[in-house]
């Protein structure tokens, strides 16, 4: 006998509230990706504004400063996923959801204002605000995934969570389009603009781009606060089945009589439980957590290093030698726009369509395999690609984004939200995501070293980039192997069915011993065993 409110969630037909939840949760992912991926063209503007007097390499931000600017947000994201993920299980999804969103709004505005005008002060302040921005972004990942998984029905749960995550692609697209629009507006307002002249108002352009990231998150805050707490959290963690039914009546097209229990449910006062990372936890969920965290780690090494350094990879094709400050930022953003439209966004929506047909595990393996093949095709003959400016390079590189999104970039977000018990779900998703962002942090540092001074006429530096691309291919094949051997399929099953069977066995043993103590000569009814 399952709780009626959970059965109603699993069997609910697609209705208005599901789409509303996708938008409300998805706008967090939209803001996350906007704030993370608007940085490549902004770095071009910062280099022009603050490193015009860099005699060694004019307009180029030093690698150490570049690593600091990229790393602070990623490091903040790691901490945010761990902290907010745990708080989501301890305090409830809804309460923590608003805190992470407000942190993103305030930090986006602060990043744009970045007090003072001197180079060191501005860059340090910007880095600090982006660290706090990363905290909010990190919190949004586990909460958005878990809330959507707990509201969705069993049949289309994968598509709903994938639709939430697909907003990441639109965030990348809009960040690039805003950058292009701001660049063109400032360029049109400039007089006597040349490639070697950086006007003072260029210092305002990058600030406007960052501040705009607060707009979608700010508009979403009210609707997030109006969402009820997840029924699964209320029923299974807070043990308040009646309140779960009342909350679900507000959003689902059902009456309270259909989802309220016929008689009061006596949940065990001391249900069998075990702490996080105890031996019991590791025995029941250790392999699942290992596979989720490892796959996310491997994926983000490849995905973020490729995404954040598109301008370095594509610089042979950007023709920036004669570009002014705004034209340079525009061209970098334009390339990001083309990649998003032609490769990234189609990949997300292929997953939305196929995730509940093919399953998570198969799509993840296909994505890792195809990414690995493409990286090898790019890396092994890299000298040919670099010296000939072949358009085939652009096509192949775009395919890495398609198969990342129609593959592990989406599925690593979905699977941890489906595998674990309700009381650990947000925490384990946060741990998995934090491992991913650690991979992103170290992947970007490695790729920065390999591509920062890449020169098609310098064979040793070509070898470094070739090594980086081939290594990314090997990482993707390793991800495919981890998926094959360790990742369980979660498709077509309720969240409770996806939990480890030992949980059910222990609950049965606990209830059996409790009833036997009360009634030594009474057998356990089949209905109670089923519960």
């Amino acid at each position: 006998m399952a709780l009626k409110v959970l059965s109603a969630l699993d069997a609910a037909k697609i209705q208005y509230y599901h789409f509303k939840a996708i938008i409300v949760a998805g706008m967090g992912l939209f803001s996350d990706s906007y704030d993370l991926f608007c940085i490549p063209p902004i770095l071009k503007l910062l280099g022009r504004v603050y490193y015009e007097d860099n005699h060694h390499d004019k307009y180029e931000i030093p690698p150490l400063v570049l690593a600091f600017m990229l790393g602070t947000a990623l490091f903040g994201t790691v901490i945010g996923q761990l902290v907010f993920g745990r708080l989501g299980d301890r305090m409830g999804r809804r309460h923590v959801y608003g805190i992470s969103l407000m942190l993103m709004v305030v930090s986006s505005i602060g990043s744009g204002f970045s007090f003072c005008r001197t180079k060191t002060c501005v860059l340090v302040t910007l880095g600090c605000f982006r660290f706090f921005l990363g905290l909010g972004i990190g919190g949004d990942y586990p909460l958005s995934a878990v809330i959507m998984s707990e509201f969705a029905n069993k049949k289309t749960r994968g598509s709903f969570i994938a639709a939430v995550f697909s907003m990441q692609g639109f965030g990348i697209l809009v960040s690039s389009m805003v950058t292009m629009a701001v660049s063109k507006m400032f360029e049109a307002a400039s007089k006597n603009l040349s490639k070697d002249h950086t006007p003072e108002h260029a210092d305002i352009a990058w600030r406007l781009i960052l501040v705009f990231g607060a707009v979608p998150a700010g508009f979403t805050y009210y609707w997030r606060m109006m969402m009820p707490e997840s029924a699964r959290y209320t029923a299974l963690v807070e043990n308040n089945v009646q309140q779960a039914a009342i909350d679900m009546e507000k959003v689902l097209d059902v009456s309270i009589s259909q989802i309220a229990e016929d008689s009061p449910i006596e949940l065990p006062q001391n249900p069998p439980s075990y702490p996080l990372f105890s031996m019991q936890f590791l025995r029941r969920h250790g392999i699942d957590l290992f596979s989720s965290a490892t796959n996310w780690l491997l994926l983000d090494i490849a995905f973020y290093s490729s995404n954040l350094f598109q301008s370095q990879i594509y610089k042979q094709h950007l023709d920036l030698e004669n570009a002014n400050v705004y034209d340079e930022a525009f061209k970098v953003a334009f390339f990001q726009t083309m990649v998003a439209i032609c490769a990234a966004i189609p990949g997300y929506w292929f997953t939305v369509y196929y995730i509940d047909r093919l399953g998570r595990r198969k799509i993840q393996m296909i994505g890792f395999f195809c990414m690995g093949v493409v990286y090898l095709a790019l890396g092994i003959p890299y000298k040919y690609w670099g010296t000939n400016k072949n358009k085939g390079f652009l096509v192949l590189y775009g395919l890495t984004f398609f198969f990342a999104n129609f593959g592990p970039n989406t599925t690593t977000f979905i699977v941890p939200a489906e595998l674990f018990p309700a009381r650990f779900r947000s925490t384990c998703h946060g741990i998995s995501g934090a491992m991913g962002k650690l991979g992103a942090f170290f992947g970007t540092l490695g790729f920065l070293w390999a591509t920062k001074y890449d020169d098609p006429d310098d064979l040793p530096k070509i070898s470094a980039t070739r090594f980086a691309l081939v290594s990314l291919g090997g990482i993707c094949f390793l991800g495919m192997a981890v998926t094959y051997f360790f990742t369980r399929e979660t498709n077509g099953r309720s969240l409770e069915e996806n939990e480890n069977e030992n949980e059910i066995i222990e609950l049965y043993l606990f209830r059996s011993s409790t009833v036997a103590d009360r009634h030594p000569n009474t057998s356990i009814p089949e209905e109670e065993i089923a519960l």
Side-chain angles (χ1 to χ4, degrees), residues 96-111:
V96 185
Y97 212 19
I99 298 173
S100 68
L101 193 67
M102 285 309 299
L103 190 57
M104 289 166 56
V105 172
V106 173
S107 300
S108 294
I109 296 172
S111 297

Side-chain angles (χ1 to χ4, degrees), residues 196-252:
D196 294 319
H197 173 61
T198 303
E200 283 192 16
H201 49 62
D203 193 45
I204 300 175
W206 65 267
R207 297 173 185 271
L208 286 177
I209 296 168
L210 288 175
V211 168
F212 187 83
V215 174
F219 277 127
T220 313
Y221 181 78
Y222 171 79
W223 296 109
R224 283 199 177 184
M225 293 300 94
M226 292 297 101
M227 293 179 69
E229 181 57 85
S230 159
R232 282 187 159 88
Y233 182 85
T234 303
L236 301 176
V237 180
E238 295 183 338
N239 292 334
N240 192 339
V241 179
Q242 182 179 3
Q243 183 61 47
I246 293 172
D247 289 341
M248 286 306 95
E249 186 194 23
K250 298 175 183 177
V251 297
L252 293 179

Side-chain angles (χ1 to χ4, degrees), residues 289-335:
L289 185 58
F290 166 79
S291 67
S292 298
T294 303
N295 284 323
W296 210 329
L297 169 73
L298 297 173
L299 177 275
D300 275 5
I301 291 174
F303 182 75
Y304 275 83
S305 58
S306 298
N307 225 320
L308 293 176
F309 288 102
Q310 283 184 47
S311 59
Q312 295 295 332
I313 293 295
Y314 288 145
K315 67 182 179 181
Q316 306 294 335
H317 307 269
L318 287 176
D319 190 23
L320 299 178
E321 289 186 10
N322 298 314
N324 61 53
V325 56
Y326 298 121
D327 197 34
E328 187 172 356
F330 179 89
K331 287 183 176 181
V332 172
F334 177 78
F335 259 89

